[in-house]
Amino acid sequence: FETRNLLHEKACQHRVCKAVELMIVDALLKDEAKKEKMKTAVMDAVMGHGEIGGYLKLTDSVLQELEAEGSKIRDRIYNRDLYKFVEEFEKDKDDSEDNEQFVYHSFSLDYGKNNDPLNGVWLYKKSTDKRFPAETTKDAAAPAKRMVYKYSRK
C-alpha cells in the first residue's frame, strides 16, 4: 500500500505531469470544433448510449489537429513552456480566485481507503492455528491528504 501511495504521489500527481495535463485540457477546450467532437464521443461512452466508437477514435492525433488558440497552447507544451507552478496548499485553505490567470488541480492522497487497509488483513503462524492482525504504521491510518496545486497560465 505504501509503494502504491508513494508512486501515486511522486509520479501520477507530479507537478509537471499535472501542468501538461491541464494545458491539454485547456487546448482542447479552446478549439470549439474539437470540444464538440470530444464532448459527443465522451458523453456517448459515459452515458452508455452504446456508441463507444467515437471515444475509441480519440487518440494523441487530436492534439495535432488543433487550430487557432488551441494550437498555441499545444506549441507551448512542445516547447516546454508549461504553466508555472505557484503553490501547493491544503484543501482547507480557500484560495480559489475566480481568475483566468490561474488554474487549480485538487486531489487527495491516501492508502486506498478511508481507514487503514491492513485492518482487514490477518496473518497466521505455522506453529499454531491462531490468527493475528498485521502490524500497521501510523501513516497508514492517517486520513487522506487533500491537496491543491495552483498554476499560472502565463
Side-chain angles (χ1 to χ4, degrees):
F1 296 107
E2 267 185 66
T3 304
R4 177 197 158 277
N5 186 45
L6 187 63
L7 177 68
H8 189 66
E9 183 176 356
K10 299 294 183 192
C12 301
Q13 297 297 334
H14 193 274
R15 296 183 306 203
V16 176
C17 291
K18 288 300 154 186
V20 171
E21 184 178 308
L22 293 169
M23 290 180 79
I24 290 171
V25 169
D26 280 352
L28 292 171
L29 292 176
K30 297 269 186 205
D31 192 333
E32 290 299 321
K34 294 289 174 259
K35 184 161 89 172
E36 287 305 314
K37 178 181 175 183
M38 287 197 51
K39 191 187 303 183
T40 303
V42 172
M43 288 307 291
D44 283 348
V46 170
M47 299 304 285
H49 293 143
E51 293 297 321
I52 196 163
Y55 182 73
L56 292 175
K57 291 178 185 174
L58 293 176
T59 63
D60 292 344
S61 67
V62 171
L63 289 178
Q64 300 300 326
E65 301 165 3
L66 290 172
E67 300 169 3
E69 193 67 31
S71 67
K72 290 178 186 174
I73 296 175
R74 178 200 58 214
D75 293 341
R76 281 186 63 186
I77 295 171
Y78 289 162
N79 294 325
R80 302 292 289 169
D81 181 20
L82 304 177
Y83 290 166
K84 302 295 182 228
F85 179 77
V86 176
E87 69 176 320
E88 172 183 344
F89 55 88
E90 297 270 343
K91 185 133 183 161
D92 299 337
K93 179 182 171 187
D94 186 24
D95 187 30
S96 55
E97 301 170 24
D98 192 18
N99 187 339
E100 283 294 314
Q101 181 182 355
F102 298 108
V103 62
Y104 297 87
H105 169 68
S106 63
F107 60 98
S108 67
L109 293 171
D110 58 16
Y111 282 89
K113 297 182 180 183
N114 290 335
N115 54 10
D116 185 358
L118 294 178
N119 284 342
V121 176
W122 291 94
L123 303 175
Y124 296 88
K125 287 186 179 179
K126 287 184 178 181
S127 59
T128 66
D129 292 337
K130 295 182 180 180
R131 65 181 187 167
F132 58 95
E135 289 186 28
T136 63
T137 63
K138 65 179 181 177
D139 291 342
K145 286 193 322 187
R146 301 194 190 295
M147 302 299 296
V148 177
Y149 287 166
K150 179 180 179 180
Y151 294 91
S152 171
R153 285 191 167 117
K154 302 291 178 188

